[in-house]
Amino acid sequence: MSTGQAMGAAEALSPREATRAILVDVERTMESVLADERARWATEAPRGLALVDTVGALVAAGGKRLRPAFCVSGFLSAGGDPTDPRLPRLAAGLELLHVSALLHDDILDCADQRRGQPSAHVRHEATHRAAGWRGDPRRYGESVAILAGDLALVYADQVVDAARDAVLREWTMLRSEMMVGQFLDVTIAAEYDADPDRSRWVAVCKSGSYSIHRPLSIGAQLAGRSDLAGAFQTYGAALGEAFQLRDDLIDAFGDDAAVGKPTGLDFEQQKMTLLLALAIRRDARVRKLVLPNGGGPADGAAVDTDELRGLLISSGIRDEVEAHIDTLVAGAVAALDDTPLAEPWRRELTAMAHEVAYRDR
């Protein structure tokens, strides 16, 4: 098929179909990178395959592929050539960056499951223990998972090596925002700071920038459309906050089996999520339950999670957060109104906003 024929075929697809077609190439790109790495280390250092396969296992476990989808949508909605070979590589880089973050997050969050399977650090801890190796099994498992996360980050940079100028600047900002946002998340948890504005900033940085705004902008910049940056930033910031609030609600009220990982960890670990920060400001009973200076548990003591869930419902906070998510989604969609996007793509980005904000996992 000629380039012209391929472009014509892509134009005949709906935005969702066109995105899915390119996401197939994104999967192939990641599979190719991992296959090349396996072939290399099978010869040079076969023991190293365990590390490569730790990255590969999380890639193969699937996931929402949210960041690649927004990158591809940003590119195609900006009029980019669907046959551009750089696009699947950039989108694959975003997913590999996400894999890196997940491997590290599971250690930070003490999460023993990911995508319905034991987390990487848990699996490697079990391997150490079963083999009777020397040292601390938990330390070993966490060390391997940290290294696997670092390796996924190397792969992410490897597949975006063709990025230049504006695209590379977006990529660099995305990486630093993700890491600084994660640090601030950890710091707020340690300080137990109940300031919703700080928690909201982390949500916008970690979820809005990393998951939505930057992937969209990377796609648009690749297509040569820097004029869409402002609208995509507004869309991403609002939708990112909605994304994080939905995450908080899923952790508070979700089902482990449906979500594919343990829920309730935020409450058990006394993590200062945006949901909890809003609840503390809104309800004295919540403050009394969770804040040490309000009569709640001292550092390290357990919070009565069932009582906390009940308060979030009976006080109306859960409903208020749902209403706030509605407002955020409306704001994200409104940011697209004055853009020169074709109507099918405006509808598609509207649909993606609803899927992100109203998901159940």
Side-chain angles (χ1 to χ4, degrees), residues 202-218:
V202 171
V204 170
C205 186
K206 283 183 60 183
S207 298
S209 226
Y210 157 60
S211 299
I212 301 161
H213 163 215
R214 295 295 180 197
L216 276 170
S217 292
I218 284 172

PDB file of all heavy atoms in Angstrom, residues 202-218:
ATOM      1  N   VAL A 202      -0.459  18.344  43.361  1.00  0.00           N
ATOM      2  CA  VAL A 202       0.148  17.039  43.074  1.00  0.00           C
ATOM      3  C   VAL A 202      -0.713  16.283  42.071  1.00  0.00           C
ATOM      4  O   VAL A 202      -0.204  15.641  41.138  1.00  0.00           O
ATOM      5  CB  VAL A 202       0.336  16.227  44.365  1.00  0.00           C
ATOM      6  CG1 VAL A 202       0.756  14.802  44.046  1.00  0.00           C
ATOM      7  CG2 VAL A 202       1.369  16.891  45.259  1.00  0.00           C
ATOM      8  N   ALA A 203      -2.040  16.365  42.223  1.00  0.00           N
ATOM      9  CA  ALA A 203      -2.942  15.677  41.295  1.00  0.00           C
ATOM     10  C   ALA A 203      -2.780  16.227  39.887  1.00  0.00           C
ATOM     11  O   ALA A 203      -2.725  15.472  38.907  1.00  0.00           O
ATOM     12  CB  ALA A 203      -4.394  15.834  41.763  1.00  0.00           C
ATOM     13  N   VAL A 204      -2.701  17.540  39.767  1.00  0.00           N
ATOM     14  CA  VAL A 204      -2.547  18.156  38.451  1.00  0.00           C
ATOM     15  C   VAL A 204      -1.195  17.796  37.850  1.00  0.00           C
ATOM     16  O   VAL A 204      -1.080  17.496  36.652  1.00  0.00           O
ATOM     17  CB  VAL A 204      -2.718  19.688  38.544  1.00  0.00           C
ATOM     18  CG1 VAL A 204      -2.320  20.369  37.233  1.00  0.00           C
ATOM     19  CG2 VAL A 204      -4.166  20.037  38.889  1.00  0.00           C
ATOM     20  N   CYS A 205      -0.149  17.783  38.697  1.00  0.00           N
ATOM     21  CA  CYS A 205       1.203  17.492  38.205  1.00  0.00           C
ATOM     22  C   CYS A 205       1.340  16.026  37.813  1.00  0.00           C
ATOM     23  O   CYS A 205       1.787  15.702  36.718  1.00  0.00           O
ATOM     24  CB  CYS A 205       2.223  17.852  39.282  1.00  0.00           C
ATOM     25  SG  CYS A 205       3.939  17.716  38.752  1.00  0.00           S
ATOM     26  N   LYS A 206       0.938  15.137  38.728  1.00  0.00           N
ATOM     27  CA  LYS A 206       1.127  13.703  38.496  1.00  0.00           C
ATOM     28  C   LYS A 206       0.137  13.138  37.490  1.00  0.00           C
ATOM     29  O   LYS A 206       0.502  12.332  36.628  1.00  0.00           O
ATOM     30  CB  LYS A 206       0.986  12.936  39.810  1.00  0.00           C
ATOM     31  CG  LYS A 206       2.184  13.011  40.720  1.00  0.00           C
ATOM     32  CD  LYS A 206       1.973  12.160  41.956  1.00  0.00           C
ATOM     33  CE  LYS A 206       1.763  10.705  41.612  1.00  0.00           C
ATOM     34  NZ  LYS A 206       1.491   9.859  42.781  1.00  0.00           N
ATOM     35  N   SER A 207      -1.132  13.523  37.615  1.00  0.00           N
ATOM     36  CA  SER A 207      -2.157  12.934  36.756  1.00  0.00           C
ATOM     37  C   SER A 207      -2.428  13.788  35.521  1.00  0.00           C
ATOM     38  O   SER A 207      -2.453  13.292  34.402  1.00  0.00           O
ATOM     39  CB  SER A 207      -3.455  12.732  37.544  1.00  0.00           C
ATOM     40  OG  SER A 207      -3.247  11.842  38.612  1.00  0.00           O
ATOM     41  N   GLY A 208      -2.623  15.101  35.739  1.00  0.00           N
ATOM     42  CA  GLY A 208      -2.961  15.960  34.616  1.00  0.00           C
ATOM     43  C   GLY A 208      -1.829  16.106  33.639  1.00  0.00           C
ATOM     44  O   GLY A 208      -1.978  15.930  32.429  1.00  0.00           O
ATOM     45  N   SER A 209      -0.637  16.431  34.155  1.00  0.00           N
ATOM     46  CA  SER A 209       0.498  16.662  33.282  1.00  0.00           C
ATOM     47  C   SER A 209       1.026  15.361  32.701  1.00  0.00           C
ATOM     48  O   SER A 209       1.177  15.210  31.488  1.00  0.00           O
ATOM     49  CB  SER A 209       1.602  17.352  34.088  1.00  0.00           C
ATOM     50  OG  SER A 209       2.123  18.413  33.376  1.00  0.00           O
ATOM     51  N   TYR A 210       1.279  14.422  33.582  1.00  0.00           N
ATOM     52  CA  TYR A 210       1.928  13.173  33.193  1.00  0.00           C
ATOM     53  C   TYR A 210       1.026  12.269  32.364  1.00  0.00           C
ATOM     54  O   TYR A 210       1.482  11.620  31.417  1.00  0.00           O
ATOM     55  CB  TYR A 210       2.385  12.486  34.495  1.00  0.00           C
ATOM     56  CG  TYR A 210       2.599  10.998  34.476  1.00  0.00           C
ATOM     57  CD1 TYR A 210       3.526  10.422  33.624  1.00  0.00           C
ATOM     58  CD2 TYR A 210       1.907  10.175  35.360  1.00  0.00           C
ATOM     59  CE1 TYR A 210       3.745   9.053  33.653  1.00  0.00           C
ATOM     60  CE2 TYR A 210       2.124   8.818  35.391  1.00  0.00           C
ATOM     61  CZ  TYR A 210       3.040   8.263  34.531  1.00  0.00           C
ATOM     62  OH  TYR A 210       3.253   6.911  34.559  1.00  0.00           O
ATOM     63  N   SER A 211      -0.248  12.246  32.666  1.00  0.00           N
ATOM     64  CA  SER A 211      -1.142  11.298  32.002  1.00  0.00           C
ATOM     65  C   SER A 211      -1.874  11.880  30.806  1.00  0.00           C
ATOM     66  O   SER A 211      -2.215  11.144  29.880  1.00  0.00           O
ATOM     67  CB  SER A 211      -2.185  10.766  33.003  1.00  0.00           C
ATOM     68  OG  SER A 211      -1.556  10.091  34.063  1.00  0.00           O
ATOM     69  N   ILE A 212      -2.113  13.194  30.811  1.00  0.00           N
ATOM     70  CA  ILE A 212      -3.011  13.752  29.801  1.00  0.00           C
ATOM     71  C   ILE A 212      -2.393  14.929  29.050  1.00  0.00           C
ATOM     72  O   ILE A 212      -2.188  14.870  27.838  1.00  0.00           O
ATOM     73  CB  ILE A 212      -4.349  14.163  30.464  1.00  0.00           C
ATOM     74  CG1 ILE A 212      -4.981  12.939  31.127  1.00  0.00           C
ATOM     75  CG2 ILE A 212      -5.316  14.763  29.425  1.00  0.00           C
ATOM     76  CD1 ILE A 212      -6.029  13.245  32.164  1.00  0.00           C
ATOM     77  N   HIS A 213      -2.074  15.998  29.782  1.00  0.00           N
ATOM     78  CA  HIS A 213      -1.610  17.218  29.123  1.00  0.00           C
ATOM     79  C   HIS A 213      -0.350  16.986  28.291  1.00  0.00           C
ATOM     80  O   HIS A 213      -0.319  17.289  27.091  1.00  0.00           O
ATOM     81  CB  HIS A 213      -1.374  18.309  30.183  1.00  0.00           C
ATOM     82  CG  HIS A 213      -0.536  19.442  29.728  1.00  0.00           C
ATOM     83  ND1 HIS A 213       0.346  20.092  30.558  1.00  0.00           N
ATOM     84  CD2 HIS A 213      -0.416  20.051  28.522  1.00  0.00           C
ATOM     85  CE1 HIS A 213       0.957  21.045  29.889  1.00  0.00           C
ATOM     86  NE2 HIS A 213       0.519  21.036  28.650  1.00  0.00           N
ATOM     87  N   ARG A 214       0.712  16.468  28.904  1.00  0.00           N
ATOM     88  CA  ARG A 214       1.964  16.291  28.159  1.00  0.00           C
ATOM     89  C   ARG A 214       1.843  15.263  27.026  1.00  0.00           C
ATOM     90  O   ARG A 214       2.353  15.498  25.928  1.00  0.00           O
ATOM     91  CB  ARG A 214       3.097  15.916  29.111  1.00  0.00           C
ATOM     92  CG  ARG A 214       3.474  16.984  30.112  1.00  0.00           C
ATOM     93  CD  ARG A 214       4.052  18.225  29.477  1.00  0.00           C
ATOM     94  NE  ARG A 214       4.404  19.211  30.497  1.00  0.00           N
ATOM     95  CZ  ARG A 214       4.627  20.489  30.277  1.00  0.00           C
ATOM     96  NH1 ARG A 214       4.524  20.977  29.048  1.00  0.00           N
ATOM     97  NH2 ARG A 214       4.935  21.306  31.262  1.00  0.00           N
ATOM     98  N   PRO A 215       1.200  14.111  27.246  1.00  0.00           N
ATOM     99  CA  PRO A 215       1.029  13.206  26.105  1.00  0.00           C
ATOM    100  C   PRO A 215       0.292  13.855  24.930  1.00  0.00           C
ATOM    101  O   PRO A 215       0.691  13.686  23.772  1.00  0.00           O
ATOM    102  CB  PRO A 215       0.228  12.043  26.697  1.00  0.00           C
ATOM    103  CG  PRO A 215       0.659  12.001  28.126  1.00  0.00           C
ATOM    104  CD  PRO A 215       0.799  13.451  28.522  1.00  0.00           C
ATOM    105  N   LEU A 216      -0.780  14.589  25.213  1.00  0.00           N
ATOM    106  CA  LEU A 216      -1.486  15.304  24.144  1.00  0.00           C
ATOM    107  C   LEU A 216      -0.553  16.299  23.445  1.00  0.00           C
ATOM    108  O   LEU A 216      -0.509  16.380  22.212  1.00  0.00           O
ATOM    109  CB  LEU A 216      -2.689  16.053  24.710  1.00  0.00           C
ATOM    110  CG  LEU A 216      -3.995  15.299  24.887  1.00  0.00           C
ATOM    111  CD1 LEU A 216      -4.974  16.150  25.685  1.00  0.00           C
ATOM    112  CD2 LEU A 216      -4.604  14.900  23.546  1.00  0.00           C
ATOM    113  N   SER A 217       0.173  17.073  24.256  1.00  0.00           N
ATOM    114  CA  SER A 217       1.045  18.102  23.693  1.00  0.00           C
ATOM    115  C   SER A 217       2.205  17.501  22.909  1.00  0.00           C
ATOM    116  O   SER A 217       2.617  18.039  21.882  1.00  0.00           O
ATOM    117  CB  SER A 217       1.584  19.008  24.810  1.00  0.00           C
ATOM    118  OG  SER A 217       0.539  19.772  25.374  1.00  0.00           O
ATOM    119  N   ILE A 218       2.739  16.378  23.396  1.00  0.00           N
ATOM    120  CA  ILE A 218       3.800  15.702  22.648  1.00  0.00           C
ATOM    121  C   ILE A 218       3.298  15.296  21.267  1.00  0.00           C
ATOM    122  O   ILE A 218       3.970  15.480  20.253  1.00  0.00           O
ATOM    123  CB  ILE A 218       4.312  14.481  23.442  1.00  0.00           C
ATOM    124  CG1 ILE A 218       5.212  14.947  24.592  1.00  0.00           C
ATOM    125  CG2 ILE A 218       5.065  13.504  22.546  1.00  0.00           C
ATOM    126  CD1 ILE A 218       5.623  13.844  25.550  1.00  0.00           C
TER     127      ILE A 218
END
